[in-house]
């Protein structure tokens, strides 16, 4: 369809664009909120999830091409689906043919930000008795370029194990992927890991491997259980979801946008207060409206009962009194409904101002309206921890135990005063 949209945690589409044009609520609901039977599952191959910074390139190119196709239908005859496939293939090719990584290798400082705390953090972890490893889809030559820039020529001393060319998420799913040891000259040697002794022997020769799967990682690190491993990654699907759901690893999701989200939240407290105030005002009117509607319903019931008890003479009098009372209630109900509509409009405006302060098109990363976004729901389900930078761990001792907050359901929360 050429659309890009944002889901809440219940998989309702709350914000949608067709190309570069924002869809109206009516357009959005006509496609994605028609009925339960026709509700899409939002899963491949009909849909693609944007859950990593790598895919922002795809999204930007796709939306621009969709708008161009709509404006120039005679020039672009391909379907929206084929346009997306072409974009995906082109971006993948850029990652594979070296056009991106070769440029980074020539001048890493132009593209990669160094963090002095990285070496401090890794040293503290090793001194605390932790085994530190890397599992990356990049091959050794590019891994060496990046880590030399970040940690210096002796970067390998910071790690107990390095796995390159891991082919995640296959590394986390396929127990039959072979593993190779990377020699000092960069060539590969087949590695057989059958017993813990094999792993120890191989690590004495070289700490760098290519390929393999999670079973090799456990054997090389001599892990008996996945719960003893904390895996740090920035890709929801390839790093966090699969490692948590399939292997039971402890997970730490890196969310670079988190820092800006927190700063914006601090700067826009007045907008959040305005939203809370709008919710409270509407809730008060809705409570009054509900009370009036209950009174009206009860009045009708009482009038019918009284008419039955009073007979024909009393019935006419009771009916007259009832109609007068009902008319008064109807007037008050209509007034309350008008107030509800006005306050709902004011609430929507307050929410728009708040969300646009975070991002003019998509709003807050972790929210969609008043609900958690679908992505935020995945963070809650699969990330044991999340932070903006891995070096934030430098603020904690290696043996720190992180404890989860208590889960609260609506009935657990304190009732309004």
């Amino acid at each position: 369809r050429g659309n890009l949209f944002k889901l809440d945690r219940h998989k309702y589409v709350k914000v949608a664009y067709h190309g570069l044009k924002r869809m109206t609520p009516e357009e959005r609901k006509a496609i994605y909120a028609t009925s339960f039977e026709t509700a899409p599952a939002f899963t491949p191959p009909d849909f693609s999830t944007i859950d990593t910074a790598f895919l922002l390139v795809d999204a930007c190119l796709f939306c621009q091409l969709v708008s161009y196709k709509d404006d120039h239908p005679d020039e672009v005859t391909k379907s929206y689906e084929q346009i997306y496939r072409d974009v995906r293939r082109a971006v993948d090719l850029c990652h594979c043919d070296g056009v991106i990584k070769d440029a980074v290798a020539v001048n890493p400082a132009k593209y990669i930000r160094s963090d002095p705390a990285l070496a401090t953090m890794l040293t503290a972890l090793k001194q605390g008795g932790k085994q530190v490893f890397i599992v990356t889809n990049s091959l050794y030559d590019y891994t060496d370029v990046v880590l030399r820039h970040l940690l210096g020529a002796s970067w390998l001393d910071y790690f107990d194990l390095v796995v390159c060319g891991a082919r995640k998420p296959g590394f986390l799913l396929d127990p039959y992927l072979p593993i190779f040891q990377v020699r000092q000259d960069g060539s590969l040697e087949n590695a057989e890991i059958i017993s813990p002794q094999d792993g120890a022997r191989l690590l004495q020769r070289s700490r760098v491997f290519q390929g393999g799967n999670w079973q090799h990682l456990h054997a090389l690190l001599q892990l008996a259980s996945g719960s003893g491993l904390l895996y740090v990654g920035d890709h929801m699907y390839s790093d966090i979801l699969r490692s948590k759901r399939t292997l039971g690893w402890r997970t730490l999701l890196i969310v670079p946008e988190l820092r800006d989200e927190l700063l914006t939240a601090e700067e826009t407290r007045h907008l959040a207060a305005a939203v809370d105030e709008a919710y409270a005002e509407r809730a008060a009117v809705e409570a009054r409206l509900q009370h009036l509607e209950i009174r009206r319903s009860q009045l009708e019931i009482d009038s019918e009962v009284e008419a039955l008890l009073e007979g024909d003479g009393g019935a006419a009098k009771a009916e007259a009194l009832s109609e007068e009372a009902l008319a008064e209630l109807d007037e008050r109900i209509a007034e309350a409904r008008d107030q509800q509509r006005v306050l709902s409009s004011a609430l929507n405006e307050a929410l728009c101002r708040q969300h646009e302060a975070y991002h003019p098109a998509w709003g807050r990363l972790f929210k969609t309206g008043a609900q958690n976004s679908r992505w935020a729901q995945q963070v809650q389900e699969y990330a044991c921890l999340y932070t903006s930078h891995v070096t934030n761990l430098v603020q904690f001792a290696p043996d720190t135990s992180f404890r989860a907050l208590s889960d609260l359901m609506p009935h657990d929360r304190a009732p309004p005063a």
Side-chain angles (χ1 to χ4, degrees):
R1 298 178 185 272
N3 298 340
L4 192 67
F5 50 84
K6 185 178 180 182
L7 301 173
D8 70 8
R9 66 190 182 97
H10 301 293
K11 293 189 178 180
Y12 291 117
V13 177
K14 292 299 184 71
V15 184
Y17 280 78
H18 177 74
L20 299 174
K21 179 185 176 184
R22 187 178 181 116
M23 297 171 67
T24 65
E26 292 74 24
E27 292 171 331
R28 168 168 49 84
K29 291 175 182 178
I31 298 174
Y32 300 112
T34 50
S35 69
F36 174 77
E37 290 79 6
T38 59
F42 302 114
T43 56
D46 297 323
F47 296 86
S48 179
T49 302
I50 301 172
D51 55 6
T52 172
F54 284 104
L55 291 175
L56 293 179
V57 175
D58 300 46
C60 291
L61 288 173
F62 178 63
C63 287
Q64 292 176 69
L65 288 170
V66 166
S67 290
Y68 189 88
K69 171 181 169 64
D70 292 343
D71 295 337
H72 306 85
D74 295 334
E75 293 184 33
V76 184
T77 57
K78 290 184 176 182
S79 67
Y80 297 126
E81 179 182 359
Q82 188 57 52
I83 289 174
Y84 178 76
R85 293 186 185 279
D86 289 348
V87 168
R88 183 86 285 277
R89 190 178 300 111
V91 175
D92 263 347
L93 182 61
C94 290
H95 284 288
C96 295
D97 66 5
V99 67
I100 295 176
K101 291 182 177 179
D102 288 351
V104 175
V106 170
N107 187 7
K110 181 179 179 181
Y111 303 98
I112 303 172
R113 295 177 182 174
S114 296
D115 189 341
L118 181 60
T120 304
M121 180 199 74
L122 295 172
T123 300
L125 288 173
K126 293 202 71 174
Q127 289 177 346
K130 307 301 179 184
Q131 296 184 88
V132 183
F133 67 92
I134 293 177
V135 176
T136 174
N137 286 352
S138 298
L139 296 178
Y140 179 73
D141 55 352
Y142 185 71
T143 303
D144 182 59
V145 167
V146 173
L147 289 174
R148 278 178 181 271
H149 170 68
L150 294 175
L151 296 169
S154 301
W155 65 267
L156 194 54
D157 293 340
Y158 290 96
F159 300 97
D160 297 281
L161 174 65
V162 176
V163 180
C164 304
R167 298 174 60 191
K168 294 177 292 180
F171 184 91
L172 308 171
L173 300 172
D174 188 347
Y176 301 106
L177 290 176
I179 190 168
F180 304 89
Q181 193 160 37
V182 180
R183 297 191 182 103
Q184 289 187 353
D185 61 1
S187 61
L188 301 180
E189 180 182 354
N190 187 52
E192 293 288 343
I193 304 176
I194 300 174
S195 67
Q197 291 75 19
D198 293 331
R201 174 178 51 82
L202 288 169
L203 285 170
Q204 288 179 350
R205 290 163 47 186
S206 173
R207 282 170 281 169
V208 184
F209 295 81
Q210 180 172 311
N213 59 71
W214 60 272
Q215 291 180 328
H216 296 128
L217 179 68
H218 282 205
L220 288 165
L221 296 176
Q222 297 186 20
L223 280 177
S225 170
S227 62
L229 183 152
L230 175 63
Y231 185 65
V232 182
D234 63 357
H235 194 298
M236 177 59 76
Y237 181 79
S238 294
D239 289 327
I240 304 302
L241 188 149
R242 285 300 174 189
S243 62
K244 180 69 173 180
R245 189 161 68 183
T246 307
L247 305 176
W249 290 358
R250 301 298 185 182
T251 53
L252 169 57
L253 176 65
I254 303 302
V255 187
E257 301 89 346
L258 181 59
R259 180 176 180 274
D260 288 338
E261 288 257 322
L262 292 173
L263 289 173
T264 303
E266 185 66 28
E267 294 168 357
T268 59
R269 288 190 173 210
H270 62 290
L271 296 179
V275 169
D276 291 341
E277 183 178 351
Y279 269 120
E281 289 180 357
R282 190 180 68 172
V285 170
E286 289 175 340
R288 188 167 74 252
L289 176 60
Q290 184 179 37
H291 176 68
L292 291 171
E293 289 176 336
I294 292 173
R295 280 184 59 190
R296 189 188 191 287
S297 178
Q298 188 62 48
L299 183 60
E300 287 182 323
I301 294 172
D302 291 346
S303 177
E304 291 175 4
V305 171
E306 188 173 348
L308 291 173
L309 294 176
E310 293 290 338
D312 293 340
K317 181 179 180 182
E319 183 178 354
L321 291 173
S322 176
E323 287 180 356
E324 181 180 348
L326 287 173
E328 179 184 352
L329 282 173
D330 286 341
E331 183 178 344
R332 295 173 65 185
I333 288 171
E335 180 183 347
R337 285 177 177 163
D338 288 340
Q339 289 180 330
Q340 182 188 37
R341 282 190 287 270
V342 170
L343 291 172
S344 292
S345 177
L347 173 59
N348 288 335
E349 291 176 5
L351 279 170
C352 285
R353 286 193 296 271
Q354 183 188 30
H355 282 270
E356 288 172 1
Y358 289 81
H359 190 280
W362 302 106
R364 300 165 69 182
L365 179 65
F366 290 86
K367 294 291 182 183
T368 304
Q371 297 283 333
N372 281 350
S373 63
R374 177 61 182 163
W375 189 80
Q377 183 72 9
Q378 291 180 328
V379 173
Q380 282 193 319
E381 290 178 355
Y382 300 111
C384 300
L385 302 168
Y386 63 96
T387 187
S388 60
H389 298 83
V390 66
T391 50
N392 288 340
L393 289 176
V394 79
Q395 303 175 53
F396 301 91
D399 289 325
T400 298
S401 294
F402 295 94
R403 293 179 173 82
L405 298 173
S406 297
D407 290 333
L408 294 178
M409 294 190 69
H411 71 275
D412 295 321
R413 302 178 188 277

